[in-house]
Amino acid sequence: MEIVYVYTKKRSEFGRQCNFSDRPAELHVDILPDPSLAANFIVRDPCDVAIQCAQDTSEHEVNTERFESESKGINHVEGGWHKDLNPEDMEATIRYRKKVEKDEHYQNTILQIASLMEHCIKQNNAIDIYQEYFEAEEVFEESDEPPLAKTINVFRDPNEVKRTATSLSWHPDDNRKLAVAYSSLEFQKAPKNMSFDSYIWDIENPNKPEMTLKPVSPLVCLEFNPKDSHILIGGGYNGQIAYWDTRKGSQHVEMSAVEHSHRDPVYKVVWLQSKTGMDTFSASTDGQVLWWDIRKMNEPTERLVLDPSKKGNLDNALGAISLEFETTMPTKFMVGTEQGLVVSCNRKAKTPAEKIVCTYGGHHGPIYTLQRNPFFPKNFLTVGDWTARIWSEDIKESSIMSTKYHMAYLLDGCWSPVRPSVFFTVKMDGTLDTWDILFKQNNPTLSVKVCDDALYSIRVQENGRFLGCGSQLGTVTMLEISAGLCTLQKNEKALVSEMFERETKREKILEARHREMRLKERSRSEQIREDEVKEGDGEETAEELIARAEKEFFEILEAEKKNESNQEKENDKEKDVCDEKNIQKHETNGVTSYGRRKSVMLN
Amino acid sequence: MAEVEETLKRIQSQKGVQGIIIVNAEGIPIKSTLDNSSTVQYAGHIQQLLMKARSFVRDIDPQNDLTFLRIRSKKNEIMIAPDNDYFLIVIQNPSD
């Protein structure tokens, strides 16, 4: 609908001045509502209207141009000199200076500010404002904070096929580097395209390893040389040992000859304390411990076969899984075996038979780690099967302390280098346990679930604060432990040594008692033997003992079966009667049960 | 002139004083008991620091003005007495 209003003006009136005058309003157009149009619309009731009593704000995004900054040093050159004066010119500068010094204003000013300055200097000399008043009283902060472990960094295996991080080694001086050995320990399960490389990581850069080591076969263990931090020695899955020099690149510098190496994967390689700093020894499940001088790798310098019968028979030999060598005791070393025995050996022995000094038994499975307490070398920690045990060198029968049996298999452990009572263990379910034996002995002080897959290795840094643990999928996690767990508490050494002594004494007493018992029995049995009573506790051979045990077992079974059928018949009768019968039966069984030691103790 | 020398000698003989530098408003070291390179370094940095300190003091309270500046560091204490045209810098090892 077009609404048009035409304004007309006569041609002759063009250009005439405008005379404005008031006029009443005139209605030109009046458009009335058309109800038929309402049909096009729907009444909306109610109407939602949003109202906000707030300041109107608007959002803007601004992205400034990248400002590239660069750090540069500035060389301060003397400035401020007069334009014509060359600052290099000694004479001119001296002249200038002399001139200034003669100026009176200068002299007055200097006198003024010098007096002010003197006042302050004397002030300084009078009292030392930073004097420590309470230095004598050492502020003993009982750290109330609960022990914690924080993950700092995670290093993942960059290859597609993930391998287990089987061994870690911290750089001896510069705690920023970590060497990790990767291999797949599962027998024949290594996929074909698995890479053999092991890496050295810089802890600041978890994205890319700092250096790659390319061995001939995957490395099972890797150690930095504590004397020369550029040299690393690695033991491979195929039994060969090789050493690397980080300055020389990724390829090994020299490798041992296949004929003279181990026949099984080398599980542990340790550097020895020697004048040259080039000696190492290695252990493997083929039962041999070999000594090497890395300058001449084609043949081991010495060989030891871990034969408990001391005959050097390789078939009888125990497979070695872990080695222990303490630099403060260079003639002794210990080997942890697959069979659960710890063999203590003497390096200086002349004949191989004398090399093996004694064995410590007690573990049910392979001993994955063996480490002496850095503060008390007579005590050492072993980790294997489902427990971790602490031993004293003098007691050969059993451990002096042992953790309870866990749900998951323990795979590695180590002492804290700064606190004698703290040690760490890792389990197959991916948890890291921190034990403080002064604080709690039944349970770990701190238990942290590091990852979902099994943790295979753990190593603590020299400062005791950081530790790295490697998992089955090749992820190495670096954790920081709270200060409470890595600062030496007062009296700690004394308390720990007391504890170890106490436990050692206890074991000694128990051992002595056992021996007494056995002697008594033996003397008794010799007496009885003359009377020919078979039921005596005579010396029986293993087979006879087993046969007797079997017989007793079946007897008990029969008795129980009869008992049960009796019970059913007598279910109507009073309960007491039945119970009495049972008790009687059990009592008789108890006395004849075999296990002499235990039965004697019970009695 | 002699008085100035005397005063400076007196300051220098105080316990712990390591060095004295007098700098003029343009940043030129007039007198110094330290070697040239250190002197130049001190003079350059202190110029800027003084300006900043002074502007800060006056910003807080325009009636105020900077009379003395002391910087205590682990190894020593640097004291600066500013004036309109010159400043005196003394480096002292605190008493211990």
Side-chain angles (χ1 to χ4, degrees), chain A residues 153-159 176-178 180 182 198-212 214 250:
Chain A
N153 241 334
V154 177
F155 305 96
R156 284 177 226 277
D157 186 0
N159 305 85
R176 288 165 44 98
K177 295 214 208 146
L178 180 61
V180 187
Y182 294 93
S198 290
Y199 302 109
I200 298 184
W201 295 87
D202 181 346
I203 58 177
E204 310 273 312
N205 183 8
N207 302 319
K208 199 165 154 317
E210 195 184 331
M211 194 169 158
T212 313
K214 295 190 194 296
S250 308

Side-chain angles (χ1 to χ4, degrees), chain A residues 175-319:
Chain A
N175 280 326
R176 288 165 44 98
K177 295 214 208 146
L178 180 61
V180 187
Y182 294 93
S183 61
S184 173
L185 285 177
E186 293 173 42
F187 185 60
Q188 292 188 345
K189 276 214 192 126
K192 288 236 172 49
N193 56 348
M194 182 177 99
S195 120
F196 290 167
D197 300 339
S198 290
Y199 302 109
I200 298 184
W201 295 87
D202 181 346
I203 58 177
E204 310 273 312
N205 183 8
N207 302 319
K208 199 165 154 317
E210 195 184 331
M211 194 169 158
T212 313
L213 301 172
K214 295 190 194 296
V216 165
S217 92
L219 291 177
V220 180
C221 55
L222 188 53
E223 289 286 330
F224 270 104
N225 185 344
K227 295 237 174 83
D228 179 0
S229 49
H230 293 283
I231 299 198
L232 293 118
I233 185 141
Y237 196 65
N238 64 355
Q240 282 181 296
I241 317 259
Y243 86 92
W244 277 263
D245 189 331
T246 51
R247 296 165 292 204
K248 292 206 184 132
S250 308
Q251 291 294 332
H252 59 84
V253 177
E254 219 187 307
M255 186 171 228
S256 63
V258 178
E259 313 85 59
H260 297 289
S261 307
H262 290 282
R263 289 180 174 65
D264 257 1
V266 181
Y267 278 97
K268 189 101 170 120
V269 79
V270 174
W271 288 97
L272 282 174
Q273 180 85 314
S274 73
K275 279 183 283 193
T276 57
M278 301 273 176
D279 292 310
T280 75
F281 65 142
S282 62
S284 156
T285 39
D286 64 354
Q288 293 178 67
V289 176
L290 300 173
W291 277 263
W292 307 86
D293 180 339
I294 59 173
R295 292 165 297 191
K296 196 176 129 206
M297 290 283 258
N298 52 356
E299 206 180 38
T301 51
E302 231 185 297
R303 180 192 297 263
L304 167 66
V305 177
L306 288 172
D307 183 10
S309 61
K310 306 202 182 174
K311 285 202 204 94
N313 194 352
L314 206 59
D315 298 325
N316 249 1
L318 310 162

Side-chain angles (χ1 to χ4, degrees), chain A residues 78 80-81 97 101 105-107 109-111 114 117-118 120-125 128-130, chain B residues 1 3 7 10 14-15 22 26 28-30 40 68 70 72 77 79 83 85-86 88 90 92 95:
Chain A
E78 248 177 271
W81 290 102
R97 287 202 174 105
E101 281 175 14
H105 177 59
Y106 165 86
Q107 293 182 14
T109 317
I110 294 296
L111 286 173
M117 179 64 77
E118 255 194 285
C120 291
I121 293 178
K122 287 190 185 144
Q123 233 179 26
N124 265 350
N125 284 335
D128 176 13
I129 60 176
Y130 294 115
Chain B
M1 174 62 187
E3 294 162 357
T7 315
R10 213 180 35 234
Q14 294 280 1
K15 187 173 108 166
I22 303 177
E26 291 161 11
I28 303 172
I30 304 291
V40 169
F68 203 81
R70 261 171 155 173
R72 189 128 188 182
E77 174 153 350
M79 290 174 278
D83 188 78
D85 303 315
Y86 301 94
L88 172 63
V90 173
Q92 185 194 18
S95 59

Side-chain angles (χ1 to χ4, degrees), chain A residues 413-480:
Chain A
C414 57
W415 287 102
S416 161
V418 291
R419 283 193 63 181
S421 66
V422 174
F423 64 92
F424 305 92
T425 54
V426 286
K427 303 217 281 271
M428 210 148 186
D429 59 0
T431 47
L432 162 75
D433 290 328
T434 311
W435 299 78
D436 182 352
I437 48 180
L438 283 182
F439 185 62
K440 235 197 291 190
Q441 281 155 27
N442 299 333
N443 282 321
T445 310
L446 173 66
S447 188
V448 179
K449 189 153 183 26
V450 173
C451 56
D452 290 325
D453 42 320
L455 284 174
Y456 264 85
S457 53
I458 177 173
R459 199 53 65 95
V460 187
Q461 227 184 44
E462 302 275 313
N463 58 13
R465 188 116 193 190
F466 294 102
L467 51 87
C469 39
S471 78
Q472 201 170 11
L473 292 178
T475 320
V476 175
T477 315
M478 197 173 122
L479 293 126
E480 178 184 352

Side-chain angles (χ1 to χ4, degrees), chain A residues 558-567 581-582 585:
Chain A
E558 295 295 313
E560 282 298 318
K561 275 195 209 153
K562 251 189 259 166
N563 207 11
E564 271 182 31
S565 54
N566 278 348
Q567 258 195 328
K581 273 212 182 131
N582 287 340
K585 283 267 179 258

Side-chain angles (χ1 to χ4, degrees), chain A residues 370-383:
Chain A
L370 186 48
Q371 197 188 6
R372 284 183 200 262
N373 188 329
F375 293 83
F376 300 101
K378 280 210 138 193
N379 297 299
F380 56 95
L381 168 75
T382 58
V383 170

Side-chain angles (χ1 to χ4, degrees), chain B residues 28-74:
Chain B
I28 303 172
I30 304 291
K31 195 169 187 71
S32 164
T33 59
L34 303 170
D35 56 291
N36 199 30
S37 49
S38 322
T39 307
V40 169
Q41 266 194 318
Y42 271 103
H45 286 295
I46 283 173
Q47 210 35 7
Q48 303 168 31
L49 185 62
L50 264 184
M51 286 199 309
K52 252 307 197 269
R54 184 177 268 141
S55 73
F56 153 70
V57 169
R58 298 193 73 147
D59 208 17
I60 305 280
D61 179 8
Q63 314 285 14
N64 213 348
D65 193 10
L66 184 68
T67 50
F68 203 81
L69 185 61
R70 261 171 155 173
I71 302 169
R72 189 128 188 182
S73 70
K74 262 203 292 205

